[in-house]
């Protein structure tokens, strides 16, 4: 079945540091890929998405590129802020059948001054 | 417009009691999902409704869990004879239709604590 593997956290960075959170997936077809973010005490929010190979999703300075050859969708940001502290979830979905999202375990990011 | 709403936001119950959790999806969204977020298991799919089709119940952990969706809109997740391991945050999500890129929009969740 489908699965998502993302790097273990927590990740602790100083403000303005570069961020990478690795995500790889296993899927039988051509899934859509997502990054969701969960701020403390809040629900899941869609951060960005990509629906086909080589697509780049971007939002709020975050980027991720759908790499079919390496089955990866790594999240990057050039300069993190304290307000980016949250838990980040990588997920995939089969686009044709409106099926469930399959999530990674989540990576907690803590940004300090 | 209004997002996905869930109620109650928090629920404390005693072991063995039944609980009902409610989800109001985004207006016009035909697909509705329930997930469970717990410390040991991460985010788990529970059940999926699409229009008037039979729901996909493949993620329900036991027969104590059930869900219905009335009139293609509001959904209720019911847990009977609650156990302490049912303590978790229950998330509802909706999606516009049966096809497309799969984007789901989540509600704030119901935090359930079983004592």
């Amino acid at each position: 079945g489908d699965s998502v593997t993302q790097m273990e956290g927590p990740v602790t960075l100083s403000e303005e540091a570069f961020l990478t959170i690795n995500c790889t997936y296993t899927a039988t077809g051509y899934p859509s890929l997502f990054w969701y973010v969960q701020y403390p005490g809040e629900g899941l929010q869609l951060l960005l998405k990509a629906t086909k190979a080589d697509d780049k999703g971007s939002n709020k300075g975050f980027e991720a590129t759908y790499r079919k050859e390496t089955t990866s969708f790594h999240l990057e940001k050039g300069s993190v802020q304290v307000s980016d502290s949250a838990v980040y979830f990588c997920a995939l979905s089969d686009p044709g059948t409106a099926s469930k999202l399959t999530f990674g375990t989540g990576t907690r990011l803590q940004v300090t001054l | 417009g209004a997002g996905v709403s869930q109620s109650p936001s928090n629920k404390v119950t005693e072991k063995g009691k039944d609980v009902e959790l409610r989800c109001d999806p985004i207006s016009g969204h035909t697909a509705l999902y329930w997930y469970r977020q717990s410390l040991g298991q991460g985010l788990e799919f529970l059940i999926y409704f699409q229009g008037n089709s039979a729901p996909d119940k493949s993620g329900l952990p036991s027969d104590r869990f059930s869900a219905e969706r009335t009139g293609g809109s509001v959904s209720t997740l019911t847990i009977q004879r609650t156990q302490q391991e049912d303590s978790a945050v229950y998330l509802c999500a909706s999606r516009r239709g049966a096809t497309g890129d799969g984007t789901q929009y989540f509600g704030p969740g119901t935090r359930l604590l079983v004592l």
Side-chain angles (χ1 to χ4, degrees):
Chain A
D2 296 344
S3 67
V4 176
T5 302
Q6 61 181 107
M7 62 189 290
E8 294 284 333
V11 173
T12 302
L13 295 173
S14 298
E15 200 170 46
E16 299 184 0
F18 183 84
L19 168 71
T20 300
I21 301 178
N22 290 336
C23 172
T24 57
Y25 67 90
T26 302
T28 52
Y30 298 94
S32 295
L33 302 175
F34 304 85
W35 278 99
Y36 281 84
V37 58
Q38 188 172 37
Y39 297 102
E42 299 185 14
L44 287 169
Q45 299 178 25
L46 177 66
L47 180 61
L48 54 83
K49 65 185 178 185
T51 59
K52 62 183 186 295
D54 300 325
D55 268 3
K56 178 184 285 188
S58 61
N59 185 25
K60 300 180 181 179
F62 291 90
E63 294 182 339
T65 301
Y66 191 142
R67 299 289 187 198
K68 186 171 182 296
E69 65 275 14
T70 54
T71 61
S72 65
F73 193 55
H74 304 321
L75 182 68
E76 296 182 336
K77 186 175 186 182
S79 176
V80 293
Q81 305 300 311
V82 172
S83 57
D84 294 327
S85 298
V87 181
Y88 292 81
F89 292 92
C90 185
L92 67 81
S93 173
D94 181 335
T97 60
S99 65
K100 63 180 181 178
L101 283 167
T102 299
F103 287 91
T105 53
T107 302
R108 181 175 300 278
L109 171 65
Q110 181 71 44
V111 181
T112 60
L113 291 172
Chain B
V4 178
S5 61
Q6 293 185 245
S7 61
S9 53
N10 291 280
K11 176 72 176 179
V12 181
T13 190
E14 294 179 349
K15 178 181 173 181
K17 301 285 189 182
D18 297 352
V19 295
E20 286 189 350
L21 312 180
R22 176 187 169 103
C23 171
D24 278 279
I26 293 172
S27 178
H29 281 196
T30 60
L32 187 148
Y33 304 77
W34 284 97
Y35 295 85
R36 179 169 69 175
Q37 184 176 24
S38 55
L39 279 177
Q41 302 297 323
L43 275 155
E44 305 171 275
F45 164 78
L46 296 177
I47 188 169
Y48 157 57
F49 296 90
Q50 172 55 51
N52 295 321
S53 302
D56 176 354
K57 305 180 182 179
S58 61
L60 294 178
S62 77
D63 58 7
R64 296 187 295 104
F65 288 72
S66 63
E68 63 177 19
R69 188 177 184 193
T70 55
S73 180
V74 171
S75 177
T76 302
L77 177 69
T78 301
I79 308 173
Q80 296 178 308
R81 305 182 301 282
T82 52
Q83 303 294 312
Q84 289 182 330
E85 61 263 29
D86 299 335
S87 297
V89 177
Y90 290 82
L91 296 168
C92 177
S94 71
R95 170 179 163 162
R96 183 178 302 277
T99 56
D101 65 16
T103 301
Q104 297 179 23
Y105 299 90
F106 284 80
T110 293
R111 187 175 300 274
L112 174 66
L113 177 61
V114 182
L115 299 176

